[in-house]
Amino acid sequence: MAMTIHVDIVSAEEEIYSGQAEMVIAQAELGEVGIAPRHAPFLARLRPGAVRVKLSASEELPFYVSGGLIEVQPHLVTILADTALRARDIDEAAALEAKRRAEEALKDRSGKIDYARAQAELAEAVRQLQVLEHYKKHKGQFEK
């Protein structure tokens, strides 16, 4: 039996996942990190995007996080995010609509919008759609 590490993924609203995994892959601010059991401790900021919890060589759970923090201890990974969703729970229609609205706002050159906010909303919608697309493409590998 492979060694495992305990993983907790928590959003501002609720605990999204708590369980054992063989590995966790996340988008840290300075690049992608892979955490296996007995990893050296560290704390880092996360970029918005995918977090993959590998339960075994053939099974993984994909999540979307809006950013946040990852704390790693030798036998525990904790991810704290404002927003965290299982890939299967992402509302594709809402993400597409948010993307459309942000793109429209960025086309407005009248100066009446907050460009930084529109860019952040666009980036979040695009990352959610990327996580969802990856989930759909590899659905056979997930949550057997």
Side-chain angles (χ1 to χ4, degrees), residues 55-61 138-144:
L55 303 177
S56 67
S58 62
E59 194 175 4
E60 92 178 24
L61 299 174
H138 301 286
K139 195 171 184 176
Q141 297 173 354
F142 302 132
E143 305 172 45
K144 291 183 178 181

Side-chain angles (χ1 to χ4, degrees), residues 25-83:
I25 298 114
Q27 308 298 316
E29 199 170 62
L30 297 176
E32 187 173 73
V33 294
I35 298 117
R38 297 187 181 168
H39 195 289
F42 76 90
L43 180 66
R45 282 191 254 174
L46 292 174
R47 293 186 316 216
V51 170
R52 296 179 358 243
V53 176
K54 294 184 75 71
L55 303 177
S56 67
S58 62
E59 194 175 4
E60 92 178 24
L61 299 174
F63 298 87
Y64 167 79
V65 296
S66 63
L69 295 172
I70 182 168
E71 179 188 14
V72 177
Q73 296 295 324
H75 301 286
L76 174 66
V77 174
T78 304
I79 294 175
L80 304 171
D82 287 336
T83 302

Side-chain angles (χ1 to χ4, degrees), residues 93-142:
L96 286 168
E97 178 60 18
K99 179 178 181 261
R100 186 197 63 74
R101 280 193 320 267
E103 289 171 338
E104 286 296 315
L106 288 171
K107 290 179 186 174
D108 179 1
R109 298 290 181 205
S110 67
K112 296 179 181 176
I113 67 154
D114 180 348
Y115 284 100
R117 184 177 188 155
Q119 287 175 328
E121 289 172 0
L122 176 61
E124 182 172 351
V126 167
R127 287 188 182 100
Q128 282 185 8
L129 291 168
Q130 288 170 341
V131 170
L132 184 59
E133 184 176 323
H134 181 77
Y135 171 70
K136 287 179 175 180
K137 187 182 289 184
H138 301 286
K139 195 171 184 176
Q141 297 173 354
F142 302 132

